[in-house]
Amino acid sequence: MIIVMQTTATQEQVKKVEEKLVALGFKTHPIYGEVKTVIGAIGDKRLLDTQMITSMPGVENIVPIMKPYKLVSRELKQSKTIIQIDDIAIGGQEIVIMAGPCAVENEEVFFETARKVKAAGAKILRGGAFKPRTSPYSFQGLEEEGLKMLDIARKETGLKIVTEVVDTRDVEVVSRYSDILQIGARNMQNFRLLKEVGASGKPVLLKRGLSATIEEWLMAAEYIMSSGNPNIILCERGIRTFETATRNTIDISAIPVVKELSHLPIIADPSHATGTWKYVDALSKAAVAAGADGLIIEVHNDPSRALCDGPQSLRPEKFAQLMEELKPVALAVHRTI
Amino acid sequence: MIIVMQTTATQEQVKKVEEKLVALGFKTHPIYGEVKTVIGAIGDKRLLDTQMITSMPGVENIVPIMKPYKLVSRELKQSKTIIQIDDIAIGGQEIVIMAGPCAVENEEVFFETARKVKAAGAKILRGGAFKPRTSPYSFQGLEEEGLKMLDIARKETGLKIVTEVVDTRDVEVVSRYSDILQIGARNMQNFRLLKEVGASGKPVLLKRGLSATIEEWLMAAEYIMSSGNPNIILCERGIRTFETATRNTIDISAIPVVKELSHLPIIADPSHATGTWKYVDALSKAAVAAGADGLIIEVHNDPSRALCDGPQSLRPEKFAQLMEELKPVALAVHRTI
Amino acid sequence: MIIVMQTTATQEQVKKVEEKLVALGFKTHPIYGEVKTVIGAIGDKRLLDTQMITSMPGVENIVPIMKPYKLVSRELKQSKTIIQIDDIAIGGQEIVIMAGPCAVENEEVFFETARKVKAAGAKILRGGAFKPRTSPYSFQGLEEEGLKMLDIARKETGLKIVTEVVDTRDVEVVSRYSDILQIGARNMQNFRLLKEVGASGKPVLLKRGLSATIEEWLMAAEYIMSSGNPNIILCERGIRTFETATRNTIDISAIPVVKELSHLPIIADPSHATGTWKYVDALSKAAVAAGADGLIIEVHNDPSRALCDGPQSLRPEKFAQLMEELKPVALAVHRTI
Amino acid sequence: MIIVMQTTATQEQVKKVEEKLVALGFKTHPIYGEVKTVIGAIGDKRLLDTQMITSMPGVENIVPIMKPYKLVSRELKQSKTIIQIDDIAIGGQEIVIMAGPCAVENEEVFFETARKVKAAGAKILRGGAFKPRTSPYSFQGLEEEGLKMLDIARKETGLKIVTEVVDTRDVEVVSRYSDILQIGARNMQNFRLLKEVGASGKPVLLKRGLSATIEEWLMAAEYIMSSGNPNIILCERGIRTFETATRNTIDISAIPVVKELSHLPIIADPSHATGTWKYVDALSKAAVAAGADGLIIEVHNDPSRALCDGPQSLRPEKFAQLMEELKPVALAVHRTI
């Protein structure tokens, strides 16, 4: 790291910072500029809280040179990680499609939707049993009853299941009924939950927080991986900006950026990002063209009766058509669907 | 609420939307404009998920007329809520100052800091035992051992204690050792945790999420209040914007806005908002002048040895000086400190 | 539009608002809800500044029902606008590629780059003669000398020219040497400049402002069109968000949103959006897959010697390869390049 | 500055970068870390476009150590700049209040408002003759006729005049009728206009752009100052964020930050920042408490008839009351009004 000293820093202050750095195990290289002094500090001390140095008299700021994450970085592991769930490989040559309703609400509607997304080519079924809702008065999910429906749908269709877990106390039960644990955007920095899903060993779908930088998102993945679980799928789902024409702004650039920085697979969620089914088509194609390893799309048999996120759900026939249209886009970037 | 129909909506579609609204218990008032039809729907149905309507054919969008929160709103309760903790009244005429280090790290330093903030006029002692940290490699707090130190400091100084709870499983133990449960910015939409602290009945300090709108923040308070706990103190601590000169951007406007919309007291956290002790002075004064009911300020006996957030901590003597300087500002807006 | 009255509004206040609306030529339809009164006002008065109403006693807020733009909207003109520049059609079935260096700096490098982008399939040559630079100490462009080089390159290669105009006083001279006038992001709300390029009749490339909503962007286009110039090409070039991994965040959603709201063609600028040549490839493909009518890409024969925006420029050989890779993506969405 | 080399950079690449730096007049100090090499480059070359270096093979990124601005910085000039306009000193011990309507619309209303703000203690009269409006269909200002009214009001009341200039072609005429030239938020990066007002020598009120960082804002001031005009007053008027409860989010932190970085005076515009007169009171007090050197407040004799920005205008009597209430706040921070 580089310590930038203030213009007014005294030689004594520079010396004290150097001494502190040496005491912490760094080798120091001061550079005396015309106006400011900077100190190069050598030593790969990711654990060091740089704040101790920042607060020392005469220090202007600290410029980290190394990334704060390690296990999830491409620097550590250059080959792409592939998450294998039986015969499904996420991060490989095939683009994996996850689809289903926002929430599991009604057995009949849910199974019908499940069968249709399977027929259209989806490999993984999504559906929420525990729903984090902005309002305490909104439908909060069927909880364990919903998990059981997911399990039945899994057995009946052969689809794998991804579903959200919102509380450390539920990790065990959700793990029992599902194949992938989803960490929602609002819980991306619920560090205790990250540690629990890390300890569970189950594949984790880690959604990006609404206002999380890519670095913070990778640090959240680092929490899971440093708890012993390397099976992480990152999911871009839109960030919060000033634009209100769409619910959030999908950050398509995050796809190539994450692929450069990390070995983990990354998928996109065009349904939550836009909040409107009309734009799901264009953004699904964009995400695939940009290199996404998968998509998670909301599909509902009857959006106008959905208890949750109806406006962003595709009808099954529209979803089937999108699946057809995505195939040539995938081929154009040397992938398959 | 108002349902705006698309320009191309048919009379049949308008009729179907009206029928649905009537079935849901609304009275409808269609207005046929020159280009578009809008339907006024009367009925205070806060519980209704408007998404069912939004997905109907011909509907362009829904404009809510009523606020989505109820219990926390000024419309329901016009007099300001005062949270009483023994002889301390938060939301009254006196501006309440909370101060202390970011994390409880070391007994000696902590007690020394506690005694000094008490001497300077703080009424409540802050200090984290459970720390949500961006990096898994950073100091995560002393946990129950830290809580015990808080408890000793409370007994020794007579200060009340505010400390963060980050996991539903810890609500009970944190409640045992503290007077106010803090919900941090990253957990503002951890709805299960909101319900648990709601059920606990303990006063709650609810920090605004980094990318939470004021409406979402009040909805988070509604979760706590609808779980039976009316003792909520809102805390503005900066939002995430494009500006990087300060760690976050403190939204001082949120103070008068919240005071207009809600009866709950609101305080400000200039330390976390700016991330730099140098700006704490100016922003503390600004918050008081804007009408804040209190401040929460980081104070550390030796910031350069703090394991957490040293750069934003004031030294005790600087804090004491700030306390003196805040008094005339408080008086200028007819408050006391 | 809908006028929402405050909970505390008196009948007298409602009446006064109605009278004012009637005086302004509206028909009014009050709806008396259980808690609030709202007034529907019929009449397509785009010219009305709603602020006169907003300031009346008892008014809470105004909800516009009609879009504020008219000439650029799909509601007015349903068929897509195609901008014809000799044999080049922007907005048609073919995706039009614009390419070239950020600034015209050096005759030799510029002509060499021009020949190479032409050979790779670009139809339009970009290059700045007037450069809006954040620092007064940065290279500000060759001005008229640069325009003359553009003109020579046009004659030599047959490429059409797009170049930026930054001052009302320069519209005439820039029009003389170029085929498309570019309005840069920083000038998107330089309304005088919009009117001047509107009056010029030349095709205009209107970049989205860094913090402009899609609605404000379309209003800027409305300025140009209402000055008599219908030849407008919109260009998404990234918005300012909290994310710093890329220079700006390209809002790919803006492509389908604009295509829904407006008949104008829309292209994307992946070079300025990301600020890094490494991500131009993925984002060019994403923009095409999402439905963009064209791309504008920075290409420089020797990026490390560019006086402006070198880091985001592709070398000509990389650009030629990208052009090849874009073809199947275009075909996948039924377009050609 | 510091050049950070990629992990994979070769010694040859490091050598080439060093050679380039030496050729550009820098002294180089490479530091060979365990994983990465960084090169310290000494030499105060503000003029250097770092992009030439960034594009070199093996370079990861460049970390500037010096601020990009010079003339406006505290490092160059430590004493605060005071702008003297006859007997009014902006940046001194007294807090200067500017007030008046958004636009000059009607002689009678304008003069009446002018007399009242003068009586309440304002020193400078604001009023727009050239109005940058989001919609081409909104009132665009009375132009030169408006300037003449401003001039009459000046003579009649003795107030100084601040008014906006929006076009390089108008700088001369606006200078003739006013005492301070205002550069609006939308023109903060209209670099040609900055140079023209720089050349005019007239005091300039430079509003912060809606999405401008503090650094970009100071760079805009640097444009004016490097054109020979040191009389610049910075004005914080709110930035664009995701929050919609207020029109923009006033960045009160910008006040202490600017005061640390620059010697220029800084004022605040609570009217445009919030868009609502209700919050002007609290934010005016906050800005003064945070150290603002002045305020610019919209006051209109009859807000409900204003052609522009009525909702954010105070009535004269409310303004007079605010002036009284601001006095003790100013005193509390050792200033006067």
Side-chain angles (χ1 to χ4, degrees):
Chain A
M1 64 186 174
I2 303 288
I3 292 90
V4 183
M5 301 299 292
Q6 292 166 352
T7 311
T8 55
T10 62
Q11 262 195 292
E12 182 63 22
Q13 288 173 336
V14 173
K15 205 181 131 205
K16 285 227 169 123
V17 172
E18 281 202 76
E19 284 168 7
K20 179 89 164 205
L21 288 165
V22 168
L24 291 164
F26 290 90
K27 279 188 233 162
T28 60
H29 286 68
I31 302 176
Y32 301 98
E34 290 166 11
V35 182
K36 289 181 182 176
T37 297
V38 305
I39 305 169
I42 296 181
D44 181 10
K45 303 277 159 181
R46 283 169 214 267
L47 295 170
L48 178 78
D49 259 305
T50 56
Q51 297 170 335
M52 288 191 210
I53 306 293
T54 316
S55 297
M56 292 185 74
V59 173
E60 186 171 293
N61 70 313
I62 306 272
V63 180
I65 300 300
M66 301 300 294
K67 302 288 183 197
Y69 42 82
K70 187 166 182 173
L71 304 175
V72 303
S73 81
R74 276 272 188 195
E75 292 178 2
L76 189 83
K77 174 172 181 292
Q78 286 180 23
S79 66
K80 251 189 101 177
T81 289
I82 294 177
I83 315 282
Q84 199 76 36
I85 303 173
D86 291 351
D87 59 332
I88 301 169
I90 301 170
Q93 197 268 345
E94 191 179 347
I95 292 167
V96 176
I97 308 299
M98 313 181 182
C102 181
V104 182
E105 303 152 358
N106 167 297
E107 219 172 286
E108 193 189 345
V109 170
F110 183 63
F111 293 157
E112 183 67 14
T113 303
R115 275 187 294 269
K116 286 181 177 168
V117 302
K118 160 98 179 176
K123 295 285 164 61
I124 295 171
L125 180 65
R126 60 153 292 151
F130 297 94
K131 298 299 308 169
R133 303 300 298 277
T134 305
S135 168
Y137 310 123
S138 294
F139 174 64
Q140 309 269 320
L142 295 179
E143 310 205 338
E144 189 160 356
E145 190 194 341
L147 292 175
K148 285 176 184 165
M149 284 194 209
L150 285 167
D151 196 37
I152 297 170
R154 167 163 63 172
K155 281 167 187 152
E156 205 179 288
T157 61
L159 289 163
K160 300 295 167 193
I161 298 293
V162 57
T163 196
E164 185 164 356
V165 57
V166 298
D167 192 322
T168 49
R169 298 172 299 190
D170 300 332
V171 172
E172 194 274 325
V173 67
V174 178
S175 295
R176 217 182 314 137
Y177 292 109
S178 68
D179 301 290
I180 305 175
L181 299 175
Q182 180 181 314
I183 298 292
R186 282 167 190 77
N187 280 313
M188 192 204 84
Q189 292 194 318
N190 183 337
F191 301 115
R192 289 295 193 86
L193 188 57
L194 297 177
K195 286 180 187 174
E196 286 292 331
V197 301
S200 82
K202 275 264 171 187
V204 176
L205 183 74
L206 179 64
K207 290 205 164 183
R208 181 179 181 182
L210 268 80
S211 65
T213 61
I214 291 173
E215 189 167 298
E216 289 169 339
W217 189 16
L218 291 176
M219 287 307 284
E222 186 86 5
Y223 259 95
I224 297 170
M225 202 172 283
S226 67
S227 300
N229 186 349
N231 303 307
I232 304 163
I233 304 151
L234 298 166
C235 178
E236 163 63 34
R237 49 79 71 217
I239 56 174
R240 182 156 274 182
T241 70
F242 61 83
E243 178 59 69
T244 55
T246 44
R247 189 165 58 180
N248 295 115
T249 299
I250 194 165
D251 180 8
I252 290 286
S253 321
I255 297 170
V257 171
V258 162
K259 290 177 92 161
E260 186 194 14
L261 299 174
S262 175
H263 52 83
L264 294 173
I266 176 168
I267 70 168
D269 177 346
S271 308
H272 280 86
T274 61
T276 313
W277 66 267
K278 286 180 291 186
Y279 308 135
V280 167
D281 179 276
L283 293 176
S284 295
K285 291 172 188 170
V288 167
D293 295 307
L295 295 172
I296 182 162
I297 296 175
E298 288 202 2
V299 179
H300 195 287
N301 224 19
D302 185 358
S304 68
R305 286 200 294 167
L307 292 176
C308 167
D309 285 347
Q312 72 200 32
S313 295
L314 295 184
R315 286 168 199 279
E317 50 277 29
K318 183 80 194 74
F319 173 69
Q321 186 192 328
L322 172 59
M323 288 294 283
E324 285 312 304
E325 292 176 13
L326 282 171
K327 284 174 188 172
V329 181
L331 280 175
V333 291
H334 312 295
R335 307 284 287 263
T336 53
I337 285 188
Chain B
M1 64 187 175
I2 302 289
I3 291 92
V4 182
M5 301 299 293
Q6 293 165 351
T7 311
T8 55
T10 62
Q11 263 196 290
E12 182 63 20
Q13 288 171 338
V14 173
K15 205 180 131 208
K16 285 226 167 126
V17 172
E18 282 202 75
E19 284 169 6
K20 179 89 164 208
L21 287 165
V22 168
L24 290 164
F26 289 91
K27 279 188 234 161
T28 62
H29 285 69
I31 302 176
Y32 302 97
E34 291 168 10
V35 182
K36 288 181 183 176
T37 297
V38 304
I39 306 170
I42 296 180
D44 181 9
K45 303 278 161 181
R46 284 168 212 267
L47 296 170
L48 179 79
D49 259 307
T50 57
Q51 297 170 337
M52 287 189 209
I53 306 292
T54 317
S55 298
M56 292 185 73
V59 173
E60 187 171 290
N61 70 312
I62 306 270
V63 181
I65 300 299
M66 301 300 293
K67 302 289 183 197
Y69 42 82
K70 188 166 180 172
L71 303 175
V72 302
S73 80
R74 276 270 189 198
E75 292 178 4
L76 189 81
K77 174 172 179 293
Q78 286 180 22
S79 66
K80 252 189 99 177
T81 289
I82 294 178
I83 315 283
Q84 199 75 37
I85 303 172
D86 292 350
D87 59 334
I88 301 169
I90 302 170
Q93 198 267 344
E94 192 180 346
I95 293 167
V96 176
I97 308 299
M98 312 181 183
C102 181
V104 182
E105 303 153 359
N106 167 297
E107 220 171 286
E108 192 190 345
V109 170
F110 184 62
F111 294 157
E112 182 66 14
T113 303
R115 275 187 294 269
K116 287 181 177 168
V117 301
K118 160 96 179 176
K123 294 286 164 61
I124 295 172
L125 179 65
R126 59 154 295 151
F130 297 95
K131 298 301 306 171
R133 303 299 299 275
T134 305
S135 166
Y137 309 123
S138 293
F139 173 64
Q140 310 269 320
L142 296 179
E143 310 205 340
E144 191 161 354
E145 189 194 341
L147 292 176
K148 286 175 183 165
M149 283 194 213
L150 285 168
D151 196 37
I152 297 170
R154 168 163 62 172
K155 282 168 187 152
E156 204 179 291
T157 61
L159 290 163
K160 300 294 167 193
I161 299 292
V162 56
T163 196
E164 185 164 356
V165 57
V166 298
D167 190 322
T168 49
R169 299 172 297 191
D170 300 333
V171 172
E172 194 274 324
V173 67
V174 178
S175 295
R176 218 181 313 138
Y177 292 109
S178 68
D179 302 289
I180 305 175
L181 299 175
Q182 179 181 312
I183 298 292
R186 284 166 188 77
N187 279 314
M188 194 205 81
Q189 292 194 316
N190 182 339
F191 301 115
R192 289 295 192 86
L193 187 58
L194 297 178
K195 287 180 187 173
E196 287 292 332
V197 300
S200 81
K202 275 265 171 186
V204 177
L205 183 74
L206 179 64
K207 290 205 164 183
R208 180 179 181 182
L210 269 79
S211 64
T213 61
I214 291 173
E215 187 167 299
E216 289 168 339
W217 188 18
L218 291 176
M219 287 307 284
E222 187 86 5
Y223 259 95
I224 298 169
M225 202 173 282
S226 67
S227 301
N229 185 349
N231 303 307
I232 304 163
I233 304 151
L234 298 166
C235 179
E236 164 63 34
R237 47 80 71 220
I239 57 174
R240 182 155 274 183
T241 70
F242 61 82
E243 178 58 70
T244 55
T246 42
R247 189 166 58 178
N248 295 117
T249 299
I250 193 164
D251 181 8
I252 290 287
S253 322
I255 298 170
V257 172
V258 161
K259 290 178 92 162
E260 187 193 14
L261 298 174
S262 175
H263 51 83
L264 295 172
I266 176 167
I267 71 167
D269 177 347
S271 308
H272 281 86
T274 61
T276 312
W277 66 268
K278 286 180 291 186
Y279 308 135
V280 167
D281 179 275
L283 293 175
S284 295
K285 291 172 188 169
V288 167
D293 296 306
L295 295 171
I296 183 163
I297 296 176
E298 288 202 2
V299 179
H300 195 287
N301 223 18
D302 185 357
S304 68
R305 285 200 295 169
L307 293 175
C308 166
D309 285 347
Q312 72 200 33
S313 296
L314 295 184
R315 286 168 200 279
E317 51 277 27
K318 183 81 193 75
F319 172 69
Q321 186 192 329
L322 173 58
M323 288 295 282
E324 284 312 304
E325 292 177 13
L326 283 171
K327 285 174 188 172
V329 181
L331 280 177
V333 292
H334 311 295
R335 306 284 287 266
T336 54
I337 285 188
Chain C
M1 64 186 174
I2 303 287
I3 292 90
V4 182
M5 301 299 293
Q6 293 165 351
T7 311
T8 55
T10 63
Q11 262 196 293
E12 182 62 22
Q13 288 172 336
V14 173
K15 204 180 130 207
K16 284 228 170 124
V17 172
E18 282 203 74
E19 284 168 8
K20 179 90 163 206
L21 287 165
V22 168
L24 290 164
F26 288 90
K27 279 188 233 162
T28 61
H29 285 68
I31 303 176
Y32 300 99
E34 289 167 12
V35 182
K36 288 181 182 177
T37 298
V38 305
I39 305 169
I42 296 181
D44 181 10
K45 303 279 159 179
R46 283 170 213 268
L47 295 170
L48 179 79
D49 260 304
T50 56
Q51 297 171 335
M52 288 191 209
I53 306 294
T54 317
S55 298
M56 292 184 74
V59 173
E60 186 170 294
N61 70 312
I62 306 272
V63 181
I65 300 301
M66 301 299 294
K67 302 287 184 198
Y69 42 82
K70 188 167 182 173
L71 303 174
V72 304
S73 80
R74 277 271 188 196
E75 291 179 3
L76 190 82
K77 174 173 181 290
Q78 286 180 21
S79 66
K80 249 188 101 175
T81 289
I82 295 177
I83 315 282
Q84 199 76 36
I85 302 172
D86 292 350
D87 59 332
I88 301 168
I90 301 168
Q93 197 268 344
E94 191 180 346
I95 291 166
V96 176
I97 309 298
M98 313 180 182
C102 180
V104 182
E105 302 153 358
N106 166 298
E107 219 173 287
E108 194 189 344
V109 170
F110 183 63
F111 293 158
E112 183 67 15
T113 304
R115 276 188 293 269
K116 286 180 177 168
V117 301
K118 160 96 178 177
K123 293 286 164 61
I124 295 172
L125 180 64
R126 60 154 294 152
F130 297 95
K131 298 300 306 169
R133 302 300 298 276
T134 305
S135 167
Y137 309 122
S138 294
F139 174 63
Q140 309 270 319
L142 295 180
E143 311 206 338
E144 190 160 356
E145 191 194 340
L147 292 175
K148 285 177 184 164
M149 283 193 210
L150 285 168
D151 197 37
I152 297 171
R154 166 162 64 172
K155 282 169 187 152
E156 204 179 287
T157 60
L159 290 164
K160 300 295 168 195
I161 299 294
V162 57
T163 196
E164 184 163 356
V165 56
V166 298
D167 192 323
T168 50
R169 297 172 299 191
D170 299 333
V171 171
E172 194 274 325
V173 67
V174 178
S175 295
R176 218 182 314 139
Y177 292 109
S178 68
D179 302 289
I180 304 175
L181 299 174
Q182 179 180 314
I183 298 292
R186 282 166 190 77
N187 280 312
M188 194 204 83
Q189 291 194 318
N190 183 338
F191 302 115
R192 288 294 193 88
L193 188 58
L194 297 178
K195 287 180 187 173
E196 286 292 330
V197 301
S200 81
K202 276 265 171 185
V204 176
L205 183 74
L206 179 63
K207 290 205 164 182
R208 180 178 182 183
L210 268 79
S211 65
T213 61
I214 291 172
E215 188 168 298
E216 289 169 339
W217 188 18
L218 292 175
M219 287 306 284
E222 187 86 6
Y223 258 95
I224 298 170
M225 203 173 281
S226 67
S227 301
N229 186 350
N231 302 306
I232 303 163
I233 304 150
L234 299 166
C235 179
E236 164 63 34
R237 48 79 71 218
I239 57 174
R240 183 155 274 182
T241 69
F242 61 82
E243 178 58 69
T244 55
T246 44
R247 190 166 57 179
N248 294 117
T249 300
I250 194 165
D251 180 9
I252 290 285
S253 323
I255 297 170
V257 172
V258 161
K259 291 177 93 163
E260 186 194 14
L261 298 175
S262 175
H263 51 84
L264 294 173
I266 177 168
I267 71 168
D269 178 346
S271 307
H272 280 86
T274 61
T276 312
W277 66 267
K278 286 180 290 187
Y279 308 134
V280 167
D281 179 276
L283 293 176
S284 295
K285 291 172 187 168
V288 167
D293 296 307
L295 296 171
I296 183 161
I297 296 175
E298 288 202 0
V299 179
H300 195 288
N301 224 19
D302 185 357
S304 69
R305 285 200 296 169
L307 293 176
C308 166
D309 284 349
Q312 71 200 34
S313 296
L314 295 183
R315 287 168 199 279
E317 49 277 29
K318 183 80 193 73
F319 173 69
Q321 186 192 329
L322 172 59
M323 287 295 282
E324 285 313 303
E325 291 176 14
L326 283 171
K327 284 175 187 171
V329 181
L331 280 176
V333 291
H334 312 296
R335 305 285 286 266
T336 54
I337 284 186
Chain D
M1 64 186 176
I2 303 287
I3 292 90
V4 182
M5 302 299 294
Q6 293 166 350
T7 311
T8 55
T10 63
Q11 263 196 292
E12 182 63 23
Q13 288 172 337
V14 174
K15 204 179 131 208
K16 285 225 169 127
V17 171
E18 282 202 76
E19 284 169 6
K20 180 88 163 206
L21 287 166
V22 169
L24 290 164
F26 288 90
K27 278 187 234 162
T28 61
H29 285 68
I31 303 176
Y32 302 97
E34 290 167 12
V35 182
K36 288 180 183 177
T37 297
V38 304
I39 305 170
I42 297 181
D44 181 9
K45 303 278 159 179
R46 284 169 212 267
L47 295 170
L48 178 79
D49 260 307
T50 56
Q51 297 170 336
M52 287 189 209
I53 306 293
T54 317
S55 298
M56 292 185 73
V59 173
E60 187 171 291
N61 69 312
I62 306 272
V63 181
I65 299 300
M66 301 299 294
K67 303 287 182 198
Y69 42 83
K70 188 166 181 173
L71 303 175
V72 303
S73 79
R74 276 270 189 196
E75 293 180 1
L76 189 81
K77 173 173 182 291
Q78 286 179 22
S79 66
K80 250 188 100 176
T81 289
I82 294 178
I83 316 282
Q84 199 76 37
I85 303 172
D86 291 351
D87 59 332
I88 301 168
I90 302 169
Q93 197 267 346
E94 191 180 347
I95 292 168
V96 176
I97 309 298
M98 313 182 183
C102 181
V104 182
E105 302 153 0
N106 167 295
E107 219 171 288
E108 193 190 344
V109 170
F110 184 64
F111 293 155
E112 182 66 15
T113 304
R115 274 188 294 269
K116 287 180 177 168
V117 301
K118 161 97 179 177
K123 294 285 166 63
I124 295 172
L125 180 64
R126 59 154 295 152
F130 298 95
K131 298 301 307 171
R133 304 300 299 275
T134 305
S135 166
Y137 309 123
S138 294
F139 173 63
Q140 309 270 317
L142 295 179
E143 311 206 338
E144 191 162 355
E145 190 194 341
L147 292 175
K148 285 176 184 165
M149 283 194 212
L150 285 167
D151 196 36
I152 297 170
R154 167 164 61 173
K155 282 168 188 152
E156 204 179 290
T157 60
L159 289 164
K160 300 296 167 192
I161 298 293
V162 57
T163 196
E164 185 164 356
V165 57
V166 298
D167 192 321
T168 50
R169 298 172 299 191
D170 300 333
V171 172
E172 193 275 324
V173 67
V174 178
S175 295
R176 218 182 315 140
Y177 292 109
S178 67
D179 302 290
I180 304 176
L181 299 174
Q182 180 181 314
I183 298 292
R186 284 167 187 78
N187 280 312
M188 194 204 83
Q189 291 194 317
N190 182 338
F191 301 114
R192 288 294 193 89
L193 188 58
L194 297 178
K195 287 181 187 172
E196 286 293 331
V197 300
S200 81
K202 275 263 171 187
V204 177
L205 183 74
L206 179 65
K207 290 204 164 183
R208 180 178 182 182
L210 268 80
S211 65
T213 60
I214 291 172
E215 187 168 299
E216 289 169 339
W217 188 18
L218 292 176
M219 287 306 283
E222 186 86 5
Y223 258 95
I224 298 170
M225 203 173 281
S226 67
S227 301
N229 186 350
N231 302 306
I232 304 163
I233 304 150
L234 299 166
C235 178
E236 164 63 34
R237 46 81 69 217
I239 57 173
R240 183 156 275 184
T241 70
F242 61 81
E243 178 58 71
T244 55
T246 44
R247 188 166 59 180
N248 295 116
T249 300
I250 194 164
D251 180 8
I252 290 286
S253 323
I255 297 170
V257 172
V258 161
K259 291 177 91 163
E260 186 194 14
L261 299 175
S262 175
H263 51 84
L264 295 173
I266 177 168
I267 70 167
D269 178 347
S271 307
H272 280 87
T274 61
T276 313
W277 67 267
K278 286 181 290 186
Y279 308 135
V280 167
D281 180 275
L283 293 176
S284 295
K285 291 172 188 169
V288 167
D293 296 306
L295 296 171
I296 182 163
I297 296 176
E298 288 202 1
V299 179
H300 195 287
N301 223 19
D302 184 358
S304 68
R305 285 200 296 168
L307 293 175
C308 166
D309 284 348
Q312 72 200 35
S313 295
L314 295 183
R315 288 168 200 279
E317 50 278 27
K318 183 83 193 76
F319 172 69
Q321 186 193 328
L322 173 59
M323 287 295 283
E324 285 312 304
E325 292 177 13
L326 283 171
K327 284 174 188 172
V329 181
L331 280 176
V333 291
H334 311 296
R335 306 285 287 265
T336 55
I337 285 188

